[in-house]
């Protein structure tokens, strides 16, 4: 169940009859195998649950209710046949990084400000090490609250930097949370996404639309613009874009920087070092794209300022959408 890199790896390792996707639309084949709905799967089939990132709990509840004992979690299969079943990528990456950087993970945990953050850390830590969805049983799909947790308050007439603006959804939410904002900067290099953002935010004033990517230094890179919210810098990208730093592009004190740029957060943060050091903006940083981002984004900001309070929150049932908040004391 699930059409993703984990399902493809499992198929390559042991061979599967087909893939379950209840929302496949007109897709009838994937990786050379049929795509079926849960109800269309053969009655005698064993279905392996391989959904990990966004809604694994919902998918498992639906699958187990429909198929009972013929439904099996990927982590269980991994437990009984570790030499045969490939580790999910997010698990193997996590294990490797924890082994390489134990002090970074330990420092991050010890720096968290509240028990909610420490609980989120423990749950994500165990899930990312095992792929066992039971560790995330208490989490729900709650992306509407993402980036705007109660711990991430900012001052009057704030200047908001939306690094990775997508279709303007987060900028629109910021305007609703802070109607007295001074200015909003939306950085989004995908032309299609930027078109949507301009339309979405057309009723709002003082919006700066910047169709450049963000990084540690100015330059030009390859970019793949055709992946919607997952559009990202890639060596194999079909387009070339200009990269700028936040310090170069935002010529006024930033109050709040949200950063979700599909794995480029570390370089984007380096390009905002001047803003951070001089003005201590509230930071809402997506850390889920890479295991090491959990600790290294904190380590970088700590070098610039020691007065940030650190919080960790999570907004889905799986490994995606973890946000590290840094709020000046």
């Amino acid at each position: 169940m699930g059409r993703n890199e984990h399902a493809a790896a499992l198929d390559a390792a042991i061979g599967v009859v087909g893939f379950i996707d209840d929302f496949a639309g007109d897709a009838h084949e994937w990786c050379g195998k049929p795509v079926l709905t849960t109800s269309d799967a053969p009655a005698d089939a064993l279905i392996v649950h391989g959904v990990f990132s966004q809604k694994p709990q919902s998918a498992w509840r639906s699958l187990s209710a429909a198929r009972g004992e013929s439904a099996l979690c990927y982590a269980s299969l991994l437990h009984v046949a570790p030499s045969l079943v490939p580790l999910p990528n997010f698990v193997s990456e996590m294990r490797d990084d924890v082994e390489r950087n134990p002090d970074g993970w330990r420092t991050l945990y010890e720096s968290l400000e509240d028990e909610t953050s420490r609980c989120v850390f423990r749950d994500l830590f165990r899930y990312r090490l095992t792929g066992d969805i039971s560790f995330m049983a208490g989490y729900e799909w709650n992306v509407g609250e993402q980036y705007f947790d109660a711990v991430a308050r900012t001052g009057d007439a704030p200047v908001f930097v939306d690094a990775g603006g997508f279709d303007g959804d987060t900028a629109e939410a910021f305007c609703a949370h802070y109607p007295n904002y001074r200015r909003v900067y939306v950085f989004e290099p995908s032309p299609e996404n930027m078109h949507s953002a301009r339309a979405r935010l057309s009723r709002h004033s003082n919006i700066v639309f910047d169709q450049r990517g963000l990084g540690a230094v100015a330059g030009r890179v390859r970019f793949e613009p055709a992946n919607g919210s997952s559009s990202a810098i890639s060596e194999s990208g079909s387009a070339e874009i200009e990269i700028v730093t936040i310090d170069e592009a935002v010529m006024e004190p930033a109050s709040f920087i949200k950063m979700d740029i599909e794995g480029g957060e570390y370089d984007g943060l380096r390009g905002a070092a001047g803003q951070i050091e001089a003005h201590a903006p509230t930071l809402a940083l997506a850390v889920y794209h890479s295991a090491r981002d959990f600790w290294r984004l904190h380590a970088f900001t700590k070098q610039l300022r020691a007065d940030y309070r650190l919080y960790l929150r999570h907004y889905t049932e799986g490994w995606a959408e973890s946000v590290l908040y840094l709020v000046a004391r």
Side-chain angles (χ1 to χ4, degrees), residues 47-247:
I47 302 179
V48 179
H49 173 274
V51 179
F52 291 104
S53 65
Q54 300 279 351
K55 295 184 177 181
Q57 309 297 331
S58 298
W60 174 247
R61 286 193 294 269
S62 175
L63 177 61
S64 57
R67 302 303 295 248
E69 293 184 356
S70 66
L72 178 69
C73 276
Y74 192 106
S76 299
L77 191 59
L78 183 65
H79 180 71
V80 298
S83 63
L84 181 64
V85 180
L87 282 173
N89 295 345
F90 76 97
V91 174
S92 58
E93 181 197 42
M94 180 70 171
R95 292 183 181 184
D96 180 68
D97 195 73
V98 170
E99 184 176 357
R100 291 173 179 269
N101 302 294
D103 291 341
W105 286 95
R106 185 179 299 109
T107 299
L108 172 64
Y109 182 75
E110 292 172 350
S111 301
L112 292 169
E113 188 74 16
D114 62 355
E115 183 54 30
T116 298
S117 297
R118 290 185 285 272
C119 181
V120 170
F121 178 100
R122 292 191 295 267
D123 293 337
L124 287 172
F125 193 80
R126 290 180 291 185
Y127 179 50
R128 282 176 166 266
L129 284 174
T130 64
D132 185 343
I133 65 171
S134 67
F135 290 122
M136 301 298 291
Y139 292 83
E140 299 177 349
W141 175 263
N142 188 29
V143 295
E145 299 298 318
Q146 190 172 356
Y147 308 119
F148 300 106
D149 190 272
V151 301
R153 297 294 89 186
T154 190
D156 292 333
V159 173
F160 179 54
V161 177
D162 189 357
F166 181 41
D167 65 358
D169 55 346
T170 304
E172 183 180 51
F174 186 88
C175 294
H177 279 82
Y178 300 97
N180 64 332
Y181 68 89
R182 179 178 177 184
R183 203 169 344 271
V184 171
Y185 291 81
V186 178
F187 290 92
E188 175 52 60
S190 164
E192 183 177 348
N193 291 347
M194 182 59 89
H195 177 77
S196 298
R198 287 180 180 275
R200 187 169 196 155
L201 297 166
S202 60
R203 295 180 292 107
H204 297 279
S205 60
N206 297 324
I207 310 291
V208 178
F209 297 96
D210 196 320
Q211 200 172 309
R212 294 179 289 183
L214 292 169
V217 295
R220 299 191 68 84
V221 298
R222 302 301 299 179
F223 178 79
E224 181 48 64
N227 293 331
S229 63
S230 298
S231 297
I233 293 171
S234 169
E235 292 182 359
S236 60
S238 61
E240 185 178 82
I241 62 168
E242 182 181 354
I243 293 292
V244 69
T245 70
I246 287 177
D247 285 343

